Amino acid sequence: GKFPTLSPDGSGIGLSVNDHKYGLAAGRTQLNPNEWRENILITNSYFHDIGSECLYVGPNYNTDGQTDLPLRNIEVSYNRVDHCVRDGINLKSTIAGVNRIHHNYFSEIGIGVGGSAPDRHGIEIFEGYGDVYANRIDGVYLNGSPGGNCISIYAMNRPNTFGPFKSSVYNNVCINPEKGGIANGRKDSTTMLVVGTITHNTVVSP
């Protein structure tokens, strides 16, 4: 429902907050929401050996997701995340409130093979905003996909009628990303703008 669900085995998403079953009321969109998925804290947990994203939090903003409940006031902190086939965490549609990803440890992210989706990032904020700080990410792999960044903040489908939103990325350590360290961008000028500060991070590619 509106709350996180855990995959019962190692074949799917580790934790999901996105099932498309609870949409906004008729006539509402994410531009004028009357309901939210909100005030969610994911902390002090261990996610490992997951067959897709280890944490998948929030809906895409596309034809299927424009009337899904957006997110606000989300915190992901003090978790350990190991051996994910796709993203370590994919946080989506955080378009209000205070959203934070901090003090997590990620290792061996994107270990699956193939696929066209850019979903092999340690931490990804997609179609939204948040602060990312004091995380360590060891090993992010492409394996045939366009992903491979330690941290990615990107907008692809959400229009520029939203935002601009501000994200901050600081005091993170990234070891051995196959593609890049930190990426921040949008598809084109019609897409939501995400601006912010990227400072005091360490990226090492031995």
Side-chain angles (χ1 to χ4, degrees), residues 70-124:
L71 276 64
R72 66 183 179 188
N73 300 328
I74 309 299
E75 180 174 339
V76 181
S77 59
Y78 298 100
N79 300 288
R80 179 167 178 169
V81 181
D82 295 335
H83 300 102
C84 307
V85 165
R86 299 171 79 172
D87 293 319
I89 177 171
N90 196 332
L91 179 61
K92 301 183 177 186
S93 294
T94 47
I95 58 172
V98 177
N99 308 292
R100 301 186 297 167
I101 301 174
H102 64 94
H103 291 93
N104 301 283
Y105 175 73
F106 300 83
S107 71
E108 301 297 299
I109 305 300
I111 59 175
V113 177
S116 60
D119 53 8
R120 306 287 198 277
H121 304 295
I123 297 170
E124 180 173 21

Side-chain angles (χ1 to χ4, degrees), residues 28-47:
R28 297 277 185 171
T29 70
Q30 289 190 12
L31 273 173
N32 62 341
N34 62 335
E35 291 185 88
W36 299 81
R37 286 188 174 94
E38 61 185 342
N39 303 324
I40 295 172
L41 172 63
I42 302 168
T43 190
N44 290 298
S45 298
Y46 183 26
F47 301 91

